[in-house]
Amino acid sequence: MISAAPSPDAGFAGPYRIDRRLGRGGMGEVYAGFDERLDRPVALKRIWPHQEEDGTARQRFQREARAVARLHHPAIVQIYDWVESSDGDWIVMELIEGRSLRQLLHEGPLGLGRSAHLARDILVGLAVAHAGGIIHRDLKAENVMVAADSSPGQVEQAKILDFGLAKQNQAEIDETKLTTDGRLVGTLSAMSPEQVRGHEIGPRSDLFALGSLLYEMVTGVTPFRGESAAEILQRICTWDPPPARSVSPAVPETLSAFIARLLEKDLRKRPQSAEHALAELDRILRELPAAEAEDEIGERLPGSTTRASIPHGDAPTLLSTTGRRGKAGWRAAAGIALLGILAAAGFWFQKPPRTLYVAVPETVIAAPGDAGQSLSLAASGVRTALLQGLLGFRHVAALEPSRDEAAAGDPAALARVLAADEVLTSRLECGPRICRLELRRLRGADGRLLWTTGFTVDTGNLLETGLAVVEHLRAAFPEARLRSGMPDLEVRAEDYEAYLRLKGRFDNREQGFSTDDFLAGLEHLERTSPRFLDLPLDAAKALVMRFEATRSRADLERAAQEVERARALAPDDPRVLAQQATVARVAGRLDEAAAALERLRRLEPGNAHSLQQKALLLERKGQRQEALALMREAVLQLPSASFHINLGSMLYRHGDVAGARREMEAGLALAPELYRGLSTLAQLELASGDPQRAAELYEKLVRRSPEYTELTNLGTAYLLAGRYADAAGRFRNALERSPGSPSALLNLADAELLAGRQKEAVLLYRQVLEQIDKDPQPEKLLTVRAQALAHLNRAPEAVAAAQEALRLEPESPFKAYEASLVFALVGDRSSALWNAQRALERGFDPRWFAFPWFDPLRAQLAEAMKPAGRNLP
């Protein structure tokens, strides 16, 4: 989410090196750093810059360091030092590898055993603190880290941090006054009834807060929910939440009763102390069934303080490490495996929270004369801020329509194209001197107005305009919960404006502005705004797009480097995880892709885009039926034009031509001018329909945008029509846009050979093999390799490559056709005929067998097609 709060430049706080910011809290911001004297990583917490002149805040901040520095226990974060510098006051403390309890709870209930063991750690830490005369007073999920060790066989360890609101039982009077000015100090979810009423608090107040935490850990919901702060406070004081067991029947009666005792309004009815509560919890742990006691974390005896191991590479720093699935989770997955097709999809089919899909069209500009042209950058900034702001809400997905999709017209029509629940529109109305921005939240089904606001903006300061947009969005979606762990927009105002200009030129495919220009511009901005997350993300996307055309391994390797930069800035940002999964899948690092998608699923359960990504990964692994099942599920959740076309493409790859055509037509019925939909349909027509119709579609597409794929396929359509010179010309055009493309080289070689230029063709076939040897995904080019080898009279190698392609994609009509061509070239008529029949049975058009390479099979193919009433051309 966007914030303009400053952060220190990379440097030092006293003797401690500052590396990067990890997070923010109510009292300060936390950075990862390094103690070069003792050669150890540290965390550095700085008081908010705007609070430095606040004596009360500073005293409370100093008190945190003094209080916690006296406590030494694995369940409490260790304080190392206090530093005063020109940047403010800093606490130097232990750097924890793990995630906050709040981050874990965002993924749902933690399981009984895991919850009980983590609660036990917290109780042990509280007992130590209370024995030292310290009450936490702000014990909430954000202030508990779930740390992990790298030692095999270890289990998780909860650690209490942020004693910024702690109070000493025997405090001196001047410290007590810090919180007796009538203000409520603390977080609503962490407050006890006596704290809300302003009464004296003691150790049992922390036990009440632990009861709230444990309730949410085992049920997945907070005990005192409300529509407003006033309602929550009233419920804490007067309302008894339903027993945990009634919310989640899996909770044993003993544990449910223990939680209820912690949440007693009358503190005298709560356990007498943390030690007493600990003894009671240990009895409950011993009574838990073994499967529940070991749930998610492994086996641990009461009293142990060992910690869980984390797979290598998944535990970078404080507040940013993913947890791991334990024994119960794997047992559940093993049970699901018995369900057959859904096995590989696993719990991707569990019913997730409902995702709200919100379409965000381009900002409309209403201005006199030529002023609208000068406001285009401001409009782009408004839309970027809207997309960024929606990303900050849990279970809300922003949909960014392409220009083809946006051509639908009114908001209700756009919602139908995108299958959006709502549409968020923006309109800049500018007079001679000022601009007013109007935001509207509309229901997708009928365009009904749900919310609107208008405010004056300074279009000369795009960053400030973006900040204002995000702040107003919070009022627009009061029911949505904010997502934790989202990075701030740390970018200079002038760099932000330069970025918007750069991205606009690239997205609009401005004439003469190349991918190289875009990447160079992003790299330049990185020098002055190194923590601006959009820079590495956009670079990675552009590099993957270029790789798809160039097949350059260098592009893919550089994309992976950009993803790593983004991960260092925001490891749990959904955009980062999605891009990591894409790059890893394309590069063939399938385990890495799967891990990123699993983390994304936990952050965004139920998001149809995550399901689609998972489907593509399963397809890459060869699990075709599971992939189709997930892709269909994604379309059920989000029946947009694009998702119908994506499903159609997958169905065609798997040999279901009729199903593919239905899905593509369904998509184009929603968005008739959708470029990608027309391109996909043209591809289907080329292979399994009417090549002349395919040529017409490709000619139309090439006029709109002469991209590599369209140029190549138009050339292929010309080949089928016997227009060899025209075909060669289009293939050369394609190679200009994608130098070294094996497929384009093969097509050009075929055109030259059919035109009678055999010498030129042989040279091109050799270039095909050279380029495939450089490609990071050679398995995707097996039939291309096989054809080049066959034309070069290297029959054994050609046959081996064709057979491997058939093994990987046994249902693909196109692979069957290409294999038939290879077998025909090497003289294996039997195999050529068998694969030709399979291609025809799966919908491949007979015109493809008009090439002279199939002349030896013509009579047999014609005979085989008679029962189906089909004829060879």
Side-chain angles (χ1 to χ4, degrees), residues 791-813:
H791 281 294
L792 293 171
N793 297 318
R794 294 165 61 177
E797 297 170 81
V799 169
Q803 289 175 337
E804 177 63 10
L806 289 171
R807 185 189 70 79
L808 292 174
E809 297 186 58
E811 303 301 324
S812 170

Side-chain angles (χ1 to χ4, degrees), residues 670-749:
L670 292 169
E673 294 302 314
L674 186 60
Y675 187 96
R676 192 167 59 82
L678 292 171
S679 176
T680 308
L681 181 60
Q683 187 176 4
L684 184 147
E685 294 287 5
L686 182 64
S688 304
D690 182 354
Q692 182 57 39
R693 172 60 177 152
E696 293 170 359
L697 286 168
Y698 282 124
E699 286 168 350
K700 178 180 178 180
L701 292 168
V702 165
R703 285 194 295 271
R704 288 176 60 179
S705 179
E707 300 293 337
Y708 165 82
T709 300
E710 280 64 43
L711 286 167
T712 299
N713 289 336
L714 178 55
T716 303
Y718 287 158
L719 271 185
L720 287 169
R723 298 166 58 180
Y724 303 138
D726 290 338
R730 288 307 187 184
F731 294 141
R732 289 191 182 94
N733 293 152
L735 282 166
E736 290 172 1
R737 285 156 179 78
S738 179
S741 166
S743 297
L745 285 168
L746 178 69
N747 289 331
L748 179 56

Side-chain angles (χ1 to χ4, degrees), residues 764-804:
L764 288 165
Y765 287 131
R766 289 173 180 167
Q767 289 183 45
V768 170
L769 298 179
E770 292 171 2
Q771 292 301 320
I772 291 176
D773 288 338
K774 300 176 184 178
D775 198 276
Q777 290 183 303
E779 72 279 3
K780 285 187 170 291
L781 299 166
L782 283 168
T783 52
V784 175
R785 176 190 288 276
Q787 291 174 72
L789 288 167
H791 281 294
L792 293 171
N793 297 318
R794 294 165 61 177
E797 297 170 81
V799 169
Q803 289 175 337
E804 177 63 10

Side-chain angles (χ1 to χ4, degrees), residues 438-650:
E438 180 188 66
L439 304 178
R440 304 177 76 201
R441 181 182 175 190
L442 307 172
R443 190 163 65 186
D446 52 14
R448 175 188 171 191
L449 182 65
L450 301 176
W451 168 90
T452 187
T453 190
F455 51 96
T456 301
V457 296
D458 178 4
T459 56
N461 190 327
L462 301 183
L463 182 58
E464 288 300 324
T465 297
L467 295 172
V469 168
V470 172
E471 287 302 318
H472 282 86
L473 273 188
R474 296 181 181 178
F477 293 86
E479 74 282 6
R481 295 175 59 187
L482 291 176
R483 190 192 304 277
S484 65
M486 294 299 295
D488 297 326
L489 185 64
E490 298 184 57
V491 57
R492 301 190 313 167
E494 56 268 38
D495 287 348
Y496 187 64
E497 181 172 338
Y499 163 75
L500 291 174
R501 292 185 188 278
L502 195 67
K503 193 169 187 300
R505 296 182 68 186
F506 182 70
D507 290 345
N508 294 327
R509 301 295 191 269
E510 183 179 303
Q511 187 71 25
F513 189 76
S514 68
T515 301
D516 281 341
D517 296 328
F518 182 57
L519 292 170
L522 295 175
E523 186 176 357
H524 176 76
L525 292 175
E526 181 191 345
R527 299 187 190 117
T528 48
S529 292
R531 296 190 59 79
F532 183 19
L533 180 62
D534 291 63
L535 300 180
L537 283 177
D538 281 354
K541 291 176 186 175
L543 287 161
V544 170
M545 288 172 58
R546 191 165 71 178
F547 164 77
E548 295 291 355
T550 64
R551 313 302 296 178
S552 168
R553 185 182 295 273
D555 280 343
L556 207 54
E557 290 172 352
R558 186 175 168 189
Q561 293 169 1
E562 296 293 344
V563 167
E564 285 305 309
R565 280 193 54 234
R567 288 184 65 196
L569 295 174
D572 286 328
D573 188 299
R575 296 170 298 169
V576 175
L577 292 170
Q579 194 60 38
Q580 180 189 4
T582 297
V583 173
R585 172 172 55 80
V586 172
R589 299 192 302 273
L590 304 188
D591 288 344
E592 179 187 342
L597 286 177
E598 173 58 17
R599 292 177 69 185
L600 184 61
R601 185 197 69 84
R602 292 181 181 277
L603 285 175
E604 294 191 319
N607 190 312
H609 291 90
S610 300
L611 289 177
Q612 184 174 248
Q613 280 241 42
K614 178 70 173 178
L616 293 172
L617 177 61
L618 291 173
E619 184 182 41
R620 180 75 190 277
K621 289 181 175 181
Q623 298 169 256
R624 291 177 295 278
Q625 294 306 312
E626 296 89 340
L628 276 172
L630 265 186
M631 189 65 87
R632 288 191 174 99
E633 176 66 16
V635 172
L636 286 175
Q637 290 190 25
L638 191 68
S640 66
S642 291
F643 271 44
H644 277 295
I645 289 165
N646 291 343
L647 174 56
S649 296
M650 182 176 283

Side-chain angles (χ1 to χ4, degrees), residues 840-857:
L840 291 165
E841 289 167 359
R842 286 165 171 75
F844 220 75
D845 193 270
R847 291 180 180 84
W848 283 81
F849 295 92
F851 291 118
W853 302 309
F854 292 101
D855 286 349
L857 303 177

